[in-house]
Amino acid sequence: MLNYDIVVIGGGPAGLAAAIEAKKSGIDSILVIDRDRELGGILQQCIHNGFGLHEFKEELTGPEYAERFIEQLKELDIECKLDTMVIDITQDRLIHAINTEDGYMTIQAKAIVLAMGCRERTRGAIAIPGSRPAGIFTAGTAQRYINMEGYMVGKKVFILGSGDIGLIMARRLILEGAEVSAVAEVMPYSGGLTRNIVQCLEDFNIPLLLSHTIVDIKGKDKIEGVVLSKVDSHRKPIAGTEKYFECDTLLLSVGLIPENELSKSAGIEMDPATNGPIVNESMETTVEGIFACGNVVHVHDLVDYVSQESRRAGSNAAKYVKDMLIRNGSTLQARPGDGVGYIVPQIIRTDNLEKNLDLFMRVKNVYSHGKLVIRVDGVPVREIKKKHMAPGEMERIKLDLELLKDKNDSILSVEVEKEVV
Ligand SMILES: Cc1cc2nc3c(=O)[nH]c(=O)nc-3n(C[C@H](O)[C@H](O)[C@H](O)COP(=O)(O)OP(=O)(O)OC[C@H]3O[C@@H](n4cnc5c(N)ncnc54)[C@H](O)[C@@H]3O)c2cc1C
Protein backbone atom coordinates (compact mmCIF):
# COMPACT_ATOMS: atom_id res chain seq x y z
CA MET A 1 0.00 0.00 0.00
CA LEU A 2 1.15 3.54 -0.83
CA ASN A 3 0.96 6.34 1.75
CA TYR A 4 0.67 10.10 1.17
CA ASP A 5 -0.28 13.05 3.35
CA ILE A 6 -2.59 14.49 0.68
CA VAL A 7 -4.00 12.80 -2.42
CA VAL A 8 -5.75 15.03 -4.97
CA ILE A 9 -8.16 13.22 -7.30
CA GLY A 10 -8.39 15.09 -10.61
CA GLY A 11 -5.64 17.10 -12.32
CA GLY A 12 -7.83 19.85 -13.82
CA PRO A 13 -7.51 23.48 -12.72
CA ALA A 14 -9.13 22.63 -9.37
CA GLY A 15 -6.78 19.75 -8.53
CA LEU A 16 -3.70 21.66 -9.75
CA ALA A 17 -4.45 24.76 -7.64
CA ALA A 18 -5.25 22.65 -4.57
CA ALA A 19 -2.05 20.58 -4.84
CA ILE A 20 0.13 23.68 -5.39
CA GLU A 21 -1.39 25.48 -2.41
CA ALA A 22 -1.04 22.41 -0.16
CA LYS A 23 2.63 22.19 -1.06
CA LYS A 24 3.15 25.92 -0.44
CA SER A 25 1.46 25.39 2.94
CA GLY A 26 4.26 23.06 3.95
CA ILE A 27 3.05 19.57 2.97
CA ASP A 28 5.63 17.58 0.97
CA SER A 29 3.95 14.24 0.51
CA ILE A 30 1.31 14.97 -2.17
CA LEU A 31 0.02 12.86 -5.07
CA VAL A 32 -2.20 14.09 -7.92
CA ILE A 33 -4.12 11.38 -9.80
CA ASP A 34 -5.86 11.87 -13.17
CA ARG A 35 -7.47 9.37 -15.53
CA ASP A 36 -6.56 11.43 -18.60
CA ARG A 37 -3.26 11.27 -20.51
CA GLU A 38 -2.29 14.81 -19.47
CA LEU A 39 -2.93 17.35 -16.73
CA GLY A 40 -5.20 20.37 -17.22
CA GLY A 41 -8.65 18.75 -17.26
CA ILE A 42 -11.31 20.29 -19.47
CA LEU A 43 -9.09 23.33 -20.15
CA GLN A 44 -6.98 21.34 -22.63
CA GLN A 45 -9.91 21.20 -25.06
CA CYS A 46 -10.91 24.87 -24.57
CA ILE A 47 -8.60 26.42 -27.15
CA HIS A 48 -10.60 29.67 -27.29
CA ASN A 49 -9.44 32.64 -25.20
CA GLY A 50 -11.19 34.30 -22.25
CA PHE A 51 -9.51 32.47 -19.37
CA GLY A 52 -7.48 34.15 -16.65
CA LEU A 53 -8.84 37.71 -16.64
CA HIS A 54 -9.14 37.67 -12.83
CA GLU A 55 -6.15 35.42 -12.08
CA PHE A 56 -3.57 36.88 -14.47
CA LYS A 57 -5.27 40.07 -15.77
CA GLU A 58 -4.82 38.78 -19.32
CA GLU A 59 -6.83 36.72 -21.79
CA LEU A 60 -5.41 33.24 -22.10
CA THR A 61 -6.60 30.12 -23.90
CA GLY A 62 -7.53 27.12 -21.76
CA PRO A 63 -4.28 25.21 -22.43
CA GLU A 64 -2.23 28.39 -21.70
CA TYR A 65 -4.05 28.89 -18.39
CA ALA A 66 -3.52 25.22 -17.47
CA GLU A 67 0.14 25.37 -18.47
CA ARG A 68 0.90 28.11 -15.90
CA PHE A 69 -0.30 25.79 -13.14
CA ILE A 70 1.32 22.66 -14.62
CA GLU A 71 4.67 24.50 -14.70
CA GLN A 72 4.29 25.43 -11.02
CA LEU A 73 3.43 21.83 -10.18
CA LYS A 74 6.65 20.72 -11.87
CA GLU A 75 8.74 23.42 -10.16
CA LEU A 76 7.36 22.35 -6.80
CA ASP A 77 8.13 18.72 -7.66
CA ILE A 78 4.63 17.44 -6.93
CA GLU A 79 4.14 13.80 -7.85
CA CYS A 80 1.44 12.83 -10.41
CA LYS A 81 -0.03 9.62 -11.73
CA LEU A 82 -1.69 10.07 -15.13
CA ASP A 83 -3.79 7.54 -17.08
CA THR A 84 -4.87 6.41 -13.63
CA MET A 85 -8.51 5.90 -12.72
CA VAL A 86 -9.65 6.18 -9.11
CA ILE A 87 -12.42 3.61 -8.75
CA ASP A 88 -13.35 3.94 -5.08
CA ILE A 89 -12.60 5.88 -1.90
CA THR A 90 -13.60 5.07 1.66
CA GLN A 91 -14.53 7.19 4.68
CA ASP A 92 -11.16 6.44 6.27
CA ARG A 93 -9.44 7.86 3.20
CA LEU A 94 -8.31 4.68 1.49
CA ILE A 95 -8.15 5.16 -2.29
CA HIS A 96 -8.51 2.34 -4.81
CA ALA A 97 -7.02 3.16 -8.20
CA ILE A 98 -5.86 1.39 -11.35
CA ASN A 99 -3.56 1.97 -14.32
CA THR A 100 -1.75 -0.15 -16.88
CA GLU A 101 1.71 0.41 -15.35
CA ASP A 102 1.15 -0.20 -11.62
CA GLY A 103 -2.01 -2.29 -11.98
CA TYR A 104 -4.40 -2.16 -9.04
CA MET A 105 -3.29 0.13 -6.17
CA THR A 106 -4.48 1.05 -2.72
CA ILE A 107 -3.33 4.39 -1.37
CA GLN A 108 -3.80 5.61 2.20
CA ALA A 109 -4.09 9.39 2.51
CA LYS A 110 -4.22 11.58 5.62
CA ALA A 111 -6.40 13.99 3.62
CA ILE A 112 -8.09 13.73 0.21
CA VAL A 113 -9.04 16.57 -2.13
CA LEU A 114 -11.83 15.66 -4.56
CA ALA A 115 -11.43 17.60 -7.83
CA MET A 116 -13.11 15.35 -10.42
CA GLY A 117 -14.93 18.13 -12.29
CA CYS A 118 -18.27 17.49 -13.98
CA ARG A 119 -19.73 15.72 -16.98
CA GLU A 120 -22.32 16.77 -19.54
CA ARG A 121 -25.96 15.78 -19.54
CA THR A 122 -26.66 13.51 -22.50
CA ARG A 123 -29.64 12.83 -24.75
CA GLY A 124 -30.76 10.11 -22.29
CA ALA A 125 -30.83 12.66 -19.47
CA ILE A 126 -33.30 14.90 -21.31
CA ALA A 127 -35.22 12.12 -23.10
CA ILE A 128 -35.56 13.59 -26.63
CA PRO A 129 -37.94 11.41 -28.66
CA GLY A 130 -37.00 9.85 -32.03
CA SER A 131 -34.79 7.00 -33.26
CA ARG A 132 -31.13 6.60 -32.33
CA PRO A 133 -29.08 7.61 -35.38
CA ALA A 134 -25.36 8.47 -35.39
CA GLY A 135 -24.36 12.16 -35.39
CA ILE A 136 -25.64 13.22 -31.97
CA PHE A 137 -22.90 14.47 -29.63
CA THR A 138 -22.63 16.43 -26.45
CA ALA A 139 -20.97 19.77 -27.21
CA GLY A 140 -17.95 18.93 -25.04
CA THR A 141 -17.37 15.62 -26.84
CA ALA A 142 -17.46 17.43 -30.18
CA GLN A 143 -15.03 19.98 -28.72
CA ARG A 144 -12.62 17.24 -27.72
CA TYR A 145 -12.85 15.57 -31.18
CA ILE A 146 -12.23 18.82 -33.05
CA ASN A 147 -9.71 20.58 -30.77
CA MET A 148 -7.69 17.65 -29.43
CA GLU A 149 -8.17 14.61 -31.64
CA GLY A 150 -8.39 16.38 -35.02
CA TYR A 151 -11.77 15.04 -36.22
CA MET A 152 -14.55 17.21 -37.72
CA VAL A 153 -17.95 16.12 -36.46
CA GLY A 154 -20.21 17.33 -39.30
CA LYS A 155 -21.07 19.95 -41.93
CA LYS A 156 -24.60 21.07 -41.12
CA VAL A 157 -25.11 21.40 -37.40
CA PHE A 158 -28.04 22.14 -35.10
CA ILE A 159 -27.37 22.92 -31.42
CA LEU A 160 -29.83 22.28 -28.60
CA GLY A 161 -29.20 24.14 -25.35
CA SER A 162 -27.50 27.48 -24.93
CA GLY A 163 -24.98 26.55 -22.22
CA ASP A 164 -21.52 28.07 -22.68
CA ILE A 165 -20.06 24.95 -24.27
CA GLY A 166 -22.77 24.94 -26.96
CA LEU A 167 -22.30 28.65 -27.64
CA ILE A 168 -18.53 28.26 -27.93
CA MET A 169 -18.92 25.25 -30.22
CA ALA A 170 -21.34 27.14 -32.49
CA ARG A 171 -18.54 29.64 -33.24
CA ARG A 172 -15.87 26.94 -33.43
CA LEU A 173 -17.83 24.92 -36.01
CA ILE A 174 -18.34 28.00 -38.21
CA LEU A 175 -14.60 28.74 -38.02
CA GLU A 176 -13.94 25.14 -39.10
CA GLY A 177 -16.20 25.58 -42.16
CA ALA A 178 -19.48 24.04 -40.99
CA GLU A 179 -22.92 25.61 -41.20
CA VAL A 180 -24.76 26.15 -37.89
CA SER A 181 -28.51 26.52 -38.49
CA ALA A 182 -29.48 27.71 -35.02
CA VAL A 183 -29.14 27.27 -31.27
CA ALA A 184 -32.44 26.36 -29.60
CA GLU A 185 -33.10 26.82 -25.87
CA VAL A 186 -36.12 25.54 -23.93
CA MET A 187 -35.94 28.32 -21.34
CA PRO A 188 -36.96 31.93 -22.13
CA TYR A 189 -33.34 32.99 -21.41
CA SER A 190 -29.92 31.61 -22.34
CA GLY A 191 -28.02 29.37 -19.91
CA GLY A 192 -24.70 30.86 -21.05
CA LEU A 193 -22.67 33.94 -20.24
CA THR A 194 -23.78 37.16 -21.97
CA ARG A 195 -20.28 37.60 -23.41
CA ASN A 196 -20.55 34.19 -25.12
CA ILE A 197 -23.97 35.00 -26.63
CA VAL A 198 -22.50 38.16 -28.15
CA GLN A 199 -19.11 36.79 -29.22
CA CYS A 200 -20.19 33.32 -30.37
CA LEU A 201 -23.71 33.79 -31.79
CA GLU A 202 -24.44 37.44 -32.56
CA ASP A 203 -21.04 38.10 -34.14
CA PHE A 204 -21.63 35.13 -36.50
CA ASN A 205 -25.35 35.74 -37.19
CA ILE A 206 -26.39 32.44 -35.62
CA PRO A 207 -30.03 32.63 -34.45
CA LEU A 208 -30.82 31.89 -30.78
CA LEU A 209 -34.35 30.46 -30.58
CA LEU A 210 -35.52 30.85 -26.97
CA SER A 211 -38.52 28.85 -25.60
CA HIS A 212 -37.98 26.12 -28.23
CA THR A 213 -37.17 22.43 -28.00
CA ILE A 214 -36.61 19.42 -30.23
CA VAL A 215 -39.68 17.18 -30.45
CA ASP A 216 -38.35 14.63 -32.96
CA ILE A 217 -35.09 13.44 -34.49
CA LYS A 218 -35.25 12.15 -38.09
CA GLY A 219 -32.88 9.62 -39.66
CA LYS A 220 -32.22 5.91 -39.11
CA ASP A 221 -28.49 5.19 -39.37
CA LYS A 222 -27.36 8.83 -39.51
CA ILE A 223 -29.25 11.91 -38.35
CA GLU A 224 -31.01 13.74 -41.24
CA GLY A 225 -32.85 16.50 -39.39
CA VAL A 226 -34.63 17.65 -36.26
CA VAL A 227 -38.17 18.88 -35.64
CA LEU A 228 -38.29 21.97 -33.47
CA SER A 229 -41.31 23.28 -31.60
CA LYS A 230 -42.10 26.35 -29.50
CA VAL A 231 -42.83 25.65 -25.82
CA ASP A 232 -45.30 27.29 -23.46
CA SER A 233 -44.50 28.72 -20.02
CA HIS A 234 -44.52 25.16 -18.59
CA ARG A 235 -41.96 24.08 -21.20
CA LYS A 236 -44.56 21.94 -23.01
CA PRO A 237 -44.36 21.91 -26.85
CA ILE A 238 -47.11 23.95 -28.53
CA ALA A 239 -48.86 21.88 -31.22
CA GLY A 240 -48.81 23.44 -34.69
CA THR A 241 -45.50 25.32 -34.16
CA GLU A 242 -43.28 22.48 -35.47
CA LYS A 243 -40.49 23.38 -37.91
CA TYR A 244 -38.07 21.00 -39.66
CA PHE A 245 -34.29 21.71 -39.78
CA GLU A 246 -32.12 19.55 -42.01
CA CYS A 247 -28.78 18.65 -40.34
CA ASP A 248 -26.13 15.93 -40.26
CA THR A 249 -25.10 16.68 -36.66
CA LEU A 250 -26.90 17.58 -33.45
CA LEU A 251 -24.93 18.97 -30.52
CA LEU A 252 -26.41 18.97 -27.04
CA SER A 253 -25.40 21.62 -24.53
CA VAL A 254 -28.02 20.96 -21.89
CA GLY A 255 -26.20 21.26 -18.60
CA LEU A 256 -23.39 19.79 -16.55
CA ILE A 257 -23.55 17.38 -13.62
CA PRO A 258 -20.79 17.29 -10.97
CA GLU A 259 -18.96 13.94 -11.15
CA ASN A 260 -19.65 12.53 -7.70
CA GLU A 261 -19.80 8.72 -7.77
CA LEU A 262 -16.63 8.61 -5.64
CA SER A 263 -18.00 11.17 -3.17
CA LYS A 264 -21.19 9.15 -2.74
CA SER A 265 -19.32 5.89 -2.20
CA ALA A 266 -17.39 7.58 0.65
CA GLY A 267 -20.71 8.46 2.30
CA ILE A 268 -20.34 12.21 1.75
CA GLU A 269 -23.59 14.16 2.16
CA MET A 270 -24.72 15.76 -1.08
CA ASP A 271 -26.63 18.99 -1.74
CA PRO A 272 -29.52 18.23 -4.13
CA ALA A 273 -29.41 21.84 -5.37
CA THR A 274 -25.78 21.67 -6.57
CA ASN A 275 -25.48 17.89 -7.12
CA GLY A 276 -22.15 18.27 -5.32
CA PRO A 277 -20.95 17.59 -1.79
CA ILE A 278 -22.02 19.83 1.08
CA VAL A 279 -18.87 21.72 2.10
CA ASN A 280 -17.86 24.07 4.89
CA GLU A 281 -15.82 27.29 4.84
CA SER A 282 -12.63 25.20 4.51
CA MET A 283 -14.07 23.23 1.53
CA GLU A 284 -14.17 20.14 3.76
CA THR A 285 -17.05 17.75 3.04
CA THR A 286 -19.20 16.10 5.71
CA VAL A 287 -16.58 13.33 5.95
CA GLU A 288 -13.66 14.58 8.05
CA GLY A 289 -10.40 14.94 6.10
CA ILE A 290 -12.06 14.76 2.66
CA PHE A 291 -12.11 18.14 0.90
CA ALA A 292 -13.65 19.09 -2.45
CA CYS A 293 -13.26 21.96 -4.93
CA GLY A 294 -14.01 23.11 -8.46
CA ASN A 295 -16.81 21.78 -10.64
CA VAL A 296 -17.23 18.66 -8.52
CA VAL A 297 -18.75 20.97 -5.85
CA HIS A 298 -20.80 23.27 -8.10
CA VAL A 299 -20.60 24.19 -11.77
CA HIS A 300 -18.52 27.36 -12.07
CA ASP A 301 -18.79 29.83 -14.93
CA LEU A 302 -15.20 31.12 -14.74
CA VAL A 303 -12.14 29.00 -14.21
CA ASP A 304 -10.52 31.83 -12.22
CA TYR A 305 -13.06 31.21 -9.44
CA VAL A 306 -12.24 27.49 -9.60
CA SER A 307 -8.59 28.31 -8.93
CA GLN A 308 -9.43 30.64 -6.01
CA GLU A 309 -11.77 28.14 -4.38
CA SER A 310 -9.34 25.27 -4.88
CA ARG A 311 -6.46 27.12 -3.22
CA ARG A 312 -8.73 27.32 -0.18
CA ALA A 313 -9.30 23.54 -0.33
CA GLY A 314 -5.55 22.88 -0.67
CA SER A 315 -4.46 25.11 2.19
CA ASN A 316 -7.15 23.73 4.48
CA ALA A 317 -6.29 20.12 3.60
CA ALA A 318 -2.74 21.05 4.69
CA LYS A 319 -4.11 22.56 7.92
CA TYR A 320 -6.08 19.35 8.51
CA VAL A 321 -2.93 17.24 8.14
CA LYS A 322 -1.22 19.56 10.65
CA ASP A 323 -4.27 19.34 12.96
CA MET A 324 -4.88 23.07 12.75
CA LEU A 325 -8.58 23.17 11.77
CA ILE A 326 -10.97 24.24 14.54
CA ARG A 327 -13.94 21.87 14.80
CA ASN A 328 -15.96 23.05 17.80
CA GLY A 329 -16.40 26.77 17.27
CA SER A 330 -19.47 28.77 16.29
CA THR A 331 -21.27 27.54 13.19
CA LEU A 332 -23.76 29.01 10.74
CA GLN A 333 -25.77 27.16 8.08
CA ALA A 334 -26.15 28.94 4.71
CA ARG A 335 -29.60 28.63 3.10
CA PRO A 336 -30.81 29.93 -0.26
CA GLY A 337 -33.78 32.28 0.12
CA ASP A 338 -36.31 33.42 -2.51
CA GLY A 339 -34.85 33.56 -6.01
CA VAL A 340 -31.54 31.89 -5.07
CA GLY A 341 -30.90 28.32 -6.27
CA TYR A 342 -28.00 27.38 -4.01
CA ILE A 343 -25.22 28.73 -1.80
CA VAL A 344 -21.68 27.34 -1.35
CA PRO A 345 -20.34 26.80 1.27
CA GLN A 346 -23.35 25.43 3.07
CA ILE A 347 -21.69 25.32 6.53
CA ILE A 348 -19.63 28.18 8.00
CA ARG A 349 -17.42 27.69 11.05
CA THR A 350 -16.40 31.25 11.74
CA ASP A 351 -13.31 30.38 13.82
CA ASN A 352 -11.61 29.02 10.69
CA LEU A 353 -12.12 32.25 8.71
CA GLU A 354 -9.27 34.70 8.55
CA LYS A 355 -10.91 37.92 7.33
CA ASN A 356 -13.66 37.34 4.81
CA LEU A 357 -16.10 34.69 3.73
CA ASP A 358 -16.58 34.09 -0.01
CA LEU A 359 -20.12 32.94 -0.77
CA PHE A 360 -20.93 31.59 -4.24
CA MET A 361 -24.49 31.24 -5.53
CA ARG A 362 -26.70 31.18 -8.59
CA VAL A 363 -30.04 32.92 -8.95
CA LYS A 364 -33.04 31.07 -10.36
CA ASN A 365 -34.28 33.61 -12.89
CA VAL A 366 -33.23 36.67 -14.90
CA TYR A 367 -33.44 39.87 -12.84
CA SER A 368 -32.61 43.46 -13.69
CA HIS A 369 -31.96 46.13 -11.10
CA GLY A 370 -32.47 43.75 -8.20
CA LYS A 371 -30.52 43.26 -5.02
CA LEU A 372 -29.16 40.38 -3.00
CA VAL A 373 -30.17 40.63 0.65
CA ILE A 374 -28.07 38.75 3.19
CA ARG A 375 -29.69 37.98 6.54
CA VAL A 376 -28.45 36.30 9.70
CA ASP A 377 -31.31 34.77 11.68
CA GLY A 378 -33.72 36.90 9.65
CA VAL A 379 -31.93 40.21 10.36
CA PRO A 380 -30.52 41.94 7.23
CA VAL A 381 -26.74 42.38 7.56
CA ARG A 382 -25.95 43.49 4.02
CA GLU A 383 -27.57 44.33 0.69
CA ILE A 384 -25.86 44.29 -2.68
CA LYS A 385 -27.45 46.06 -5.65
CA LYS A 386 -27.17 44.24 -8.99
CA LYS A 387 -27.94 45.67 -12.43
CA HIS A 388 -28.32 42.22 -13.94
CA MET A 389 -28.51 38.68 -12.56
CA ALA A 390 -29.07 35.47 -14.53
CA PRO A 391 -28.86 31.74 -13.75
CA GLY A 392 -25.96 31.37 -16.23
CA GLU A 393 -23.75 33.73 -14.22
CA MET A 394 -22.45 32.79 -10.80
CA GLU A 395 -22.79 35.44 -8.08
CA ARG A 396 -19.99 35.93 -5.56
CA ILE A 397 -20.33 37.81 -2.28
CA LYS A 398 -17.44 38.68 0.01
CA LEU A 399 -18.70 39.00 3.58
CA ASP A 400 -16.69 40.64 6.32
CA LEU A 401 -15.99 38.32 9.23
CA GLU A 402 -17.22 41.02 11.63
CA LEU A 403 -20.79 40.44 10.38
CA LEU A 404 -20.67 36.78 11.44
CA LYS A 405 -18.78 37.03 14.72
CA ASP A 406 -20.43 35.52 17.82
CA LYS A 407 -23.21 33.94 15.75
CA ASN A 408 -23.69 30.31 16.68
CA ASP A 409 -26.34 27.85 15.46
CA SER A 410 -27.46 30.65 13.18
CA ILE A 411 -28.97 30.66 9.69
CA LEU A 412 -27.39 32.84 7.04
CA SER A 413 -29.73 33.37 4.09
CA VAL A 414 -29.46 35.19 0.79
CA GLU A 415 -32.49 36.18 -1.25
CA VAL A 416 -33.24 38.21 -4.34
CA GLU A 417 -35.41 41.24 -4.06
CA LYS A 418 -36.71 42.53 -7.40
CA GLU A 419 -38.98 42.17 -10.45
CA VAL A 420 -38.62 39.24 -12.82
CA VAL A 421 -37.90 40.43 -16.38
C1 LIG B 1 -16.52 23.64 -23.11
C2 LIG B 1 -16.17 24.46 -21.94
C3 LIG B 1 -15.88 25.77 -22.13
C4 LIG B 1 -15.50 26.57 -21.06
N1 LIG B 1 -15.17 27.87 -21.30
C5 LIG B 1 -14.71 28.64 -20.29
C6 LIG B 1 -14.27 29.98 -20.54
O1 LIG B 1 -14.35 30.49 -21.65
N2 LIG B 1 -13.76 30.69 -19.50
C7 LIG B 1 -13.68 30.14 -18.25
O2 LIG B 1 -13.19 30.79 -17.34
N3 LIG B 1 -14.11 28.87 -18.00
C8 LIG B 1 -14.63 28.11 -18.97
N4 LIG B 1 -15.04 26.82 -18.73
C9 LIG B 1 -15.05 26.33 -17.37
C10 LIG B 1 -13.76 25.70 -16.90
O3 LIG B 1 -13.14 24.99 -17.91
C11 LIG B 1 -14.11 24.78 -15.76
O4 LIG B 1 -14.73 25.60 -14.80
C12 LIG B 1 -12.87 24.09 -15.16
O5 LIG B 1 -12.24 23.29 -16.13
C13 LIG B 1 -13.28 23.22 -13.96
O6 LIG B 1 -12.14 22.69 -13.37
P1 LIG B 1 -12.11 21.33 -12.54
O7 LIG B 1 -10.70 21.06 -12.23
O8 LIG B 1 -13.11 21.39 -11.46
O9 LIG B 1 -12.68 20.21 -13.54
P2 LIG B 1 -12.05 19.56 -14.86
O10 LIG B 1 -11.33 20.55 -15.68
O11 LIG B 1 -13.20 18.84 -15.50
O12 LIG B 1 -11.01 18.49 -14.29
C14 LIG B 1 -11.41 17.30 -13.64
C15 LIG B 1 -10.35 16.25 -13.82
O13 LIG B 1 -10.65 15.12 -13.00
C16 LIG B 1 -10.30 13.94 -13.68
N5 LIG B 1 -11.08 12.83 -13.10
C17 LIG B 1 -12.43 12.74 -12.95
N6 LIG B 1 -12.78 11.58 -12.37
C18 LIG B 1 -11.62 10.91 -12.13
C19 LIG B 1 -11.33 9.63 -11.55
N7 LIG B 1 -12.29 8.82 -11.08
N8 LIG B 1 -10.04 9.23 -11.48
C20 LIG B 1 -9.05 10.05 -11.95
N9 LIG B 1 -9.28 11.27 -12.50
C21 LIG B 1 -10.53 11.69 -12.59
C22 LIG B 1 -10.66 14.26 -15.14
O14 LIG B 1 -9.94 13.46 -16.04
C23 LIG B 1 -10.26 15.74 -15.25
O15 LIG B 1 -8.94 15.90 -15.72
C24 LIG B 1 -15.44 26.01 -19.77
C25 LIG B 1 -15.79 24.69 -19.58
C26 LIG B 1 -16.15 23.90 -20.64
C27 LIG B 1 -16.52 22.46 -20.40
Side-chain angles (χ1 to χ4, degrees):
M1 179 156 54
L2 301 168
N3 282 281
Y4 287 89
D5 281 350
I6 298 179
V7 174
V8 179
I9 305 174
L16 293 172
I20 290 166
E21 202 60 23
K23 180 90 185 200
K24 286 182 178 168
S25 308
I27 302 293
D28 276 331
S29 160
I30 301 174
L31 174 67
V32 178
I33 303 178
D34 202 290
R35 64 185 172 194
D36 214 334
R37 63 186 181 226
E38 59 197 317
L39 292 167
I42 217 76
L43 292 182
Q44 297 292 13
Q45 66 185 64
C46 298
I47 61 169
H48 53 280
N49 63 0
F51 298 83
L53 281 170
H54 297 263
E55 250 329 84
F56 301 109
K57 309 281 174 271
E58 50 182 315
E59 282 213 41
L60 304 171
T61 64
E64 282 171 336
Y65 185 97
E67 201 52 36
R68 297 203 175 182
F69 287 85
I70 294 169
E71 284 302 318
Q72 275 193 64
L73 201 85
K74 285 187 192 147
E75 277 161 26
L76 291 168
D77 213 11
I78 296 173
E79 202 181 324
C80 301
K81 278 190 187 292
L82 295 176
D83 285 316
T84 305
M85 179 85 183
V86 174
I87 46 179
D88 195 25
I89 57 172
T90 65
Q91 289 211 334
D92 46 5
R93 302 181 293 281
L94 189 65
I95 296 156
H96 299 263
I98 193 155
N99 68 25
T100 50
E101 212 173 290
D102 307 286
Y104 178 80
M105 286 167 273
T106 51
I107 308 163
Q108 181 67 62
K110 288 184 186 156
I112 295 178
V113 180
L114 303 174
M116 292 90 70
C118 58
R119 61 167 177 261
E120 295 173 283
R121 293 173 80 207
T122 59
R123 177 179 176 180
I126 53 166
I128 306 176
S131 50
R132 296 278 176 272
I136 306 173
F137 302 87
T138 62
T141 300
Q143 185 174 62
R144 178 151 186 137
Y145 276 144
I146 296 173
N147 294 348
M148 289 181 78
E149 315 297 339
Y151 296 111
M152 186 60 177
V153 290
K155 294 196 176 104
K156 196 162 185 170
V157 185
F158 193 92
I159 299 180
L160 179 66
S162 60
D164 287 314
I165 316 175
L167 301 176
I168 287 162
M169 283 313 289
R171 174 180 62 185
R172 184 83 190 107
L173 282 155
I174 297 263
L175 294 176
E176 285 296 334
E179 194 186 313
V180 178
S181 328
V183 174
E185 166 61 56
V186 74
M187 302 302 282
Y189 50 81
S190 165
L193 293 170
T194 308
R195 77 169 194 219
N196 283 335
I197 296 166
V198 174
Q199 294 171 7
C200 302
L201 298 190
E202 292 174 9
D203 287 359
F204 292 85
N205 294 321
I206 302 170
L208 172 61
L209 306 170
L210 298 174
S211 298
H212 278 80
T213 194
I214 288 177
V215 289
D216 200 5
I217 291 177
K218 302 287 185 194
K220 192 164 172 285
D221 298 324
K222 181 93 182 75
I223 183 168
E224 288 163 11
V226 295
V227 180
L228 197 72
S229 177
K230 275 191 188 162
V231 297
D232 63 20
S233 55
H234 303 290
R235 283 179 262 158
K236 292 265 176 293
I238 303 170
T241 62
E242 296 84 0
K243 206 171 159 199
Y244 182 71
F245 287 82
E246 196 185 301
C247 61
D248 60 23
T249 306
L250 169 64
L251 295 195
L252 303 175
S253 178
V254 289
L256 300 165
I257 308 171
E259 177 103 35
N260 273 299
E261 275 67 27
L262 295 176
S263 324
K264 287 177 196 156
S265 73
I268 290 168
E269 225 179 294
M270 307 294 287
D271 181 341
T274 55
N275 282 315
I278 290 175
V279 289
N280 62 28
E281 75 303 321
S282 305
M283 301 310 292
E284 188 182 28
T285 67
T286 53
V287 172
E288 200 183 303
I290 303 187
F291 296 75
C293 54
N295 278 2
V296 84
V297 178
H298 57 132
V299 176
H300 294 64
D301 53 358
L302 296 182
V303 73
D304 306 63
Y305 293 146
V306 169
S307 303
Q308 285 174 23
E309 178 185 280
S310 306
R311 280 199 277 270
R312 202 143 41 88
S315 70
N316 284 303
K319 275 190 187 169
Y320 176 81
V321 169
K322 295 190 238 167
D323 204 16
M324 284 166 59
L325 280 184
I326 299 161
R327 305 220 150 260
N328 302 320
S330 50
T331 303
L332 294 93
Q333 308 283 334
R335 299 268 162 80
D338 281 353
V340 174
Y342 74 77
I343 304 179
V344 167
Q346 295 87 343
I347 302 167
I348 304 144
R349 301 172 306 184
T350 48
D351 295 341
N352 287 313
L353 295 171
E354 275 163 23
K355 236 169 90 194
N356 303 305
L357 168 70
D358 277 327
L359 284 177
F360 291 97
M361 66 205 68
R362 280 181 192 269
V363 293
K364 286 188 188 165
N365 218 319
V366 177
Y367 302 93
S368 69
H369 298 286
K371 59 184 175 188
L372 289 168
V373 181
I374 301 108
R375 292 193 168 87
V376 176
D377 292 331
V379 180
V381 294
R382 210 177 141 197
E383 291 183 356
I384 299 163
K385 288 197 175 144
K386 292 271 171 185
K387 269 200 189 131
H388 174 81
M389 289 183 278
E393 302 184 12
M394 210 168 75
E395 299 294 335
R396 177 186 181 218
I397 298 178
K398 225 178 202 1
L399 274 190
D400 206 307
L401 182 54
E402 285 302 312
L403 297 174
L404 310 174
K405 265 215 166 131
D406 308 320
K407 302 279 189 295
N408 191 18
D409 283 336
S410 294
I411 303 290
L412 180 149
S413 65
V414 183
E415 71 180 47
V416 180
E417 267 185 20
K418 108 34 266 144
E419 296 288 300
V420 177
V421 174

